[in-house]
Amino acid sequence: MKKILLIVVLFFSVLATQAQTKTVPNQPVDKPADEQESLAKDYLSQIMKVALSATSNMKLFHFVYDWIGTPYRFGGHSRKGIDCSAFTKQLYSDVFNLDIKSNSRDIFSMVNPVGKDELKEGDLVFFKIHSRRISHVGIYLGDNRFAHASSEGVKISSLDDAYYSRYFYKGGRVLDEFKKELEPSGQ
């Protein structure tokens, strides 16, 4: 019985060794850049629940994806904890190369107000939550969804959610005069 078991084990180990040393024809590892971008858009679309097929700004969506789940911390401005205006300021700096102001009310002073139905990808959305003053800001992604640092951390929410719909104030697009002022010199 031991001889049969030994022969079976030896037979399977020879098969395993041959399977490991078989050559596989060379297959291209790299996919064309446009195919990779398309796959990235599909992946981010599913995760973020935003249609990315029409977007031209993948940098925006990569930035948001990288920050999702970062905890909320009032006055925070790092991956350890961040608030809504610091998140918005960091996004505008990294994605659009613009240095905007650092609180939601001051940021609103830099925009041309737009209605909910006029929002475009990258616009800002402002809320008056339990206040007569603007108290929250996020970045519009499309499909009525926006990225922001909420009390639950950085996440994507819908303007159609009862809570955000109730407190939505206005959308805003950074005024051209501020874009010119804020652009780094030499550009």
Side-chain angles (χ1 to χ4, degrees), residues 155-166:
K155 67 181 200 167
I156 296 173
S157 299
S158 174
L159 292 173
D160 295 328
D161 288 348
Y163 181 80
Y164 293 109
S165 180
R166 178 180 179 189

Side-chain angles (χ1 to χ4, degrees), residues 37 41 44 48 50-65 91-92 94-97 120-123 139-141:
E37 185 170 320
K41 284 182 179 182
L44 291 173
M48 296 180 166
V50 175
L52 298 180
S53 57
T55 189
S56 59
N57 195 342
M58 284 303 292
K59 191 173 182 181
L60 169 66
F61 291 93
H62 283 289
F63 179 92
V64 171
Y65 178 75
L91 183 145
Y92 260 73
D94 291 2
V95 175
F96 300 111
N97 295 322
K120 295 180 182 176
E121 174 185 296
D123 283 347
I139 299 90
Y140 188 73
L141 301 174

Side-chain angles (χ1 to χ4, degrees), residues 88 92 96 98 100-101 104 106-126 134 137-142 144 159 168-180 182:
T88 302
Y92 260 73
F96 300 111
L98 294 175
I100 62 174
K101 296 183 180 180
S104 55
D106 290 342
I107 294 169
F108 186 74
S109 72
M110 301 176 70
V111 303
N112 181 29
V114 295
K116 197 184 279 191
D117 58 335
E118 299 173 74
L119 288 168
K120 295 180 182 176
E121 174 185 296
D123 283 347
L124 298 164
V125 287
F126 297 91
I134 294 169
V137 62
I139 299 90
Y140 188 73
L141 301 174
N144 260 4
L159 292 173
F168 178 80
Y169 176 58
K170 287 185 181 174
R173 199 164 294 138
V174 176
L175 293 165
D176 287 337
E177 64 191 67
F178 287 110
K179 286 181 183 177
K180 288 175 189 164
L182 299 171

